[in-house]
Amino acid sequence: MISIQHVSKTFSPVGHRGADATAVHALNDINLEIADGDIFGIIGMSGAGKSTLVRTINLLERPTEGRVVVDGQDVTQLAGADLRAYRRRVAMIFQNFGLLAQKTVLANVCFPFLAAAGKVTEADRERALGLLERVGLKEKANAYPSQLSGGQQQRVAIARALACDPEVILCDEATSALDPKSTNTILKLLRDINRETHVTLVVITHSMDVVEKICKNVAVLENGRVVEQGPVERVFEAPSAQATRVLLGRVDWDA
Amino acid sequence: MPDIAAFIDQFGALLAQGTVDTLIMVFLSTGIAYVFGILLGVILHLTAPGGLRPAPVVNAVLGWIVNIGRSLPFIILLVAIMPVTMLVAHATTGVQGVVFPLVVATAPFVARMVEQSLAEVPREVVEATEACGASVPRIVFSALLPEALPSIVRGVAVTLIAVLGYTAIAGAVGAGGLGDIAIRYGYYRYEDQVMIVTVVLLVILVQVIQSVCNLIARKVDHR
């Protein structure tokens, strides 16, 4: 269970200290509960604060105010080795895949083992090959990311995310750089992995299509605030916020 | 038609020694400069605003030191630090006397080159390694430096060629090498042939350095 409690994030402009008129309030008093095993969508327009919000969950961004509580533990207090150990429980995949271009596919999938133990054992490599098989890319183990298509690169990133046996996978616009076919492949893979392992998925997207296909619950973000949240069917059936209707395409586009 | 055999007889050994001296000066000082330059470049990158270990004071102080090192023309720096050179190298002339000032002049240059190469590594890639729970030293040695390697190798070519230029300048104060020969024979004694040959040798050195570094950069780049 991930509990985001009164989280706010303010970016001060470089060279200025403290809050002033030019500070950017990226997140404003966000409250969300994400259950174990859920596929939770966070949707909003560009600049709504989606990426900042998801980054507060694994502390790539530290909230200015509020807490992120995971399984009863306030993770915003973590630092050093404790923080690194926590981050291994929360994997992440990215819009542009975030693969190491100078390392092979296998070495990329083994990176979490290297990060955790300082070395990669033969057993780790076996496990990584198993994960590559799971995402259908075992024969590409010795290729470099540049030799793969975008969809294949994202599958490698998913294999890397699974290497830590995570409880949560954060997906930051994971299909936004992909064509519709690759998008479907990635979404099916994520949904199947969620069913097999009960890993919690937090899916950041600006596409209602993605939410409709795989999410169970959804929160709509606008200008750093949650304007609507609930089960996907309910939100799609009766959207209450204007932002949701715009995202659903239920407003006159030419207005 | 000048007699080539007579020319080689008269100046061959001198030019060969000059080429060897130049190569020693260039590669030795560039090598040492990279030890300090990579360290400085990594610290500058990590401590920058938005870096993995932001430290504004450390970053500003190191930045000033690097800028001071880079703002002095080499000939001025060479003369200005002669007392320190004497202490460190026990000489201020010849190859022995010029390596120390070359390192002092080159390390800040290398620091900026390395800093720039590291900054070219995509932010998402670094975030991905952080999200895997990697420590900062692990990110530096297993992700940042390997990812920046092709760019760093290209920087090595730029640095080697810049240092080659510095050694020619150092020739003016008796450092030895091809620059020294060009000034003593070509300039003071009007030996035009010697001047032309040193220029040709310098051009060949630059071409070879650039080609070899390009080749290595392509070999190590898997993008």
Side-chain angles (χ1 to χ4, degrees), chain B residues 169-203:
Chain B
I169 295 169
V173 293
L178 290 173
D180 184 32
I181 293 169
I183 286 167
R184 279 194 290 135
Y185 291 81
Y187 182 57
Y188 292 135
R189 299 191 201 168
Y190 301 103
E191 297 274 5
D192 289 347
Q193 292 171 354
V194 175
M195 186 62 113
I196 291 165
V197 172
T198 54
V199 169
V200 170
L201 283 172
L202 287 171
V203 170

Side-chain angles (χ1 to χ4, degrees), chain A residues 194-229:
Chain A
N194 167 266
R195 284 179 188 163
E196 289 161 24
T197 65
H198 294 287
V199 64
T200 309
L201 298 179
V202 181
V203 178
I204 298 292
T205 181
H206 60 253
S207 155
M208 269 296 180
D209 182 54
V210 170
V211 174
E212 187 175 17
K213 279 173 179 157
I214 65 166
C215 294
K216 299 170 188 168
N217 292 288
V218 63
V220 182
L221 221 58
E222 188 185 30
N223 296 329
R225 293 177 193 277
V226 175
V227 292
E228 180 159 13
Q229 65 171 309

Side-chain angles (χ1 to χ4, degrees), chain B residues 69-153:
Chain B
R70 294 204 55 202
S71 55
L72 293 175
F74 180 62
I75 188 84
I76 311 286
L77 179 115
L78 180 73
V79 176
I81 66 168
M82 269 184 177
V84 188
T85 308
M86 195 67 204
L87 275 177
V88 175
H90 306 295
T92 55
T93 57
V95 173
Q96 197 187 340
V98 83
V99 168
F100 176 73
L102 277 175
V103 169
V104 171
T106 311
F109 182 72
V110 173
R112 288 296 184 207
M113 300 276 275
V114 170
E115 186 189 19
Q116 191 180 329
S117 294
L118 295 175
E120 286 164 13
V121 178
R123 187 182 167 75
E124 228 184 47
V125 172
V126 180
E127 280 194 335
T129 60
E130 277 189 278
C132 287
S135 63
V136 172
R138 173 63 59 204
I139 294 172
V140 169
F141 290 108
S142 298
L144 272 178
L145 287 173
E147 287 296 298
L149 186 63
S151 170
I152 291 173
V153 171

Side-chain angles (χ1 to χ4, degrees), chain B residues 15-40:
Chain B
L15 287 165
Q17 184 61 47
T19 307
V20 170
D21 285 350
T22 293
L23 288 175
I24 292 173
M25 284 190 281
V26 168
F27 282 94
L28 187 61
S29 28
T30 303
I32 301 172
Y34 261 87
V35 173
F36 294 102
I38 288 181
L39 186 67
L40 279 170

Side-chain angles (χ1 to χ4, degrees), chain A:
Chain A
M1 159 81 96
I2 302 168
S3 173
I4 296 171
Q5 301 172 357
H6 303 289
V7 162
S8 296
K9 175 77 188 182
T10 306
F11 292 104
S12 304
V14 175
H16 292 71
R17 298 244 172 261
D20 58 24
T22 52
V24 178
H25 301 281
L27 298 176
N28 253 315
D29 194 27
I30 303 278
N31 291 287
L32 289 176
E33 303 267 294
I34 302 172
D36 288 344
D38 197 359
I39 304 183
F40 193 99
I42 298 174
I43 188 165
M45 304 292 179
S46 300
K50 310 182 293 287
S51 284
T52 307
L53 177 57
V54 79
R55 277 167 172 69
T56 63
I57 297 177
N58 65 354
L59 280 292
L60 287 179
E61 294 284 359
R62 285 198 175 265
T64 321
E65 282 166 61
R67 311 193 303 163
V68 176
V69 179
V70 177
D71 298 336
Q73 183 189 23
D74 179 2
V75 298
T76 37
Q77 301 299 319
L78 296 175
D82 293 337
L83 174 60
R84 295 199 296 276
Y86 163 69
R87 278 179 176 162
R88 275 174 221 129
R89 294 162 49 200
V90 183
M92 188 164 185
I93 57 177
F94 298 84
Q95 179 169 3
N96 296 304
F97 326 125
L99 297 176
L100 297 162
Q102 308 297 352
K103 288 194 173 14
T104 62
V105 163
L106 183 61
N108 267 286
V109 179
C110 287
F111 191 87
F113 303 126
L114 187 66
K119 61 181 193 302
V120 180
T121 65
E122 205 41 53
D124 293 335
R125 260 184 286 272
E126 284 303 313
R127 180 159 155 61
L129 282 170
L131 292 168
L132 280 172
E133 194 166 22
R134 173 66 191 83
V135 301
L137 287 173
K138 196 178 181 186
E139 75 284 359
K140 299 283 187 191
N142 293 316
Y144 286 91
S146 66
Q147 298 165 309
L148 272 52
S149 70
Q152 289 174 326
Q153 290 190 48
Q154 194 62 291
R155 276 144 69 193
V156 174
I158 290 171
R160 174 175 65 183
L162 292 172
C164 310
D165 250 329
E167 295 155 35
V168 182
I169 302 178
L170 309 174
C171 310
D172 185 10
E173 299 278 11
T175 57
S176 298
L178 301 176
D179 63 48
K181 192 157 169 266
S182 303
T183 297
N184 286 341
T185 310
I186 296 297
L187 293 179
K188 268 186 274 185
L189 183 61
L190 288 171
R191 183 200 59 195
D192 293 348
I193 288 167
N194 167 266
R195 284 179 188 163
E196 289 161 24
T197 65
H198 294 287
V199 64
T200 309
L201 298 179
V202 181
V203 178
I204 298 292
T205 181
H206 60 253
S207 155
M208 269 296 180
D209 182 54
V210 170
V211 174
E212 187 175 17
K213 279 173 179 157
I214 65 166
C215 294
K216 299 170 188 168
N217 292 288
V218 63
V220 182
L221 221 58
E222 188 185 30
N223 296 329
R225 293 177 193 277
V226 175
V227 292
E228 180 159 13
Q229 65 171 309
V232 170
E233 307 83 63
R234 207 278 296 148
V235 172
F236 270 66
E237 217 166 90
S240 62
Q242 174 66 10
T244 317
R245 283 192 289 271
V246 172
L247 287 159
L248 280 167
R250 296 207 190 141
V251 289
D252 179 9
W253 67 276
D254 202 17

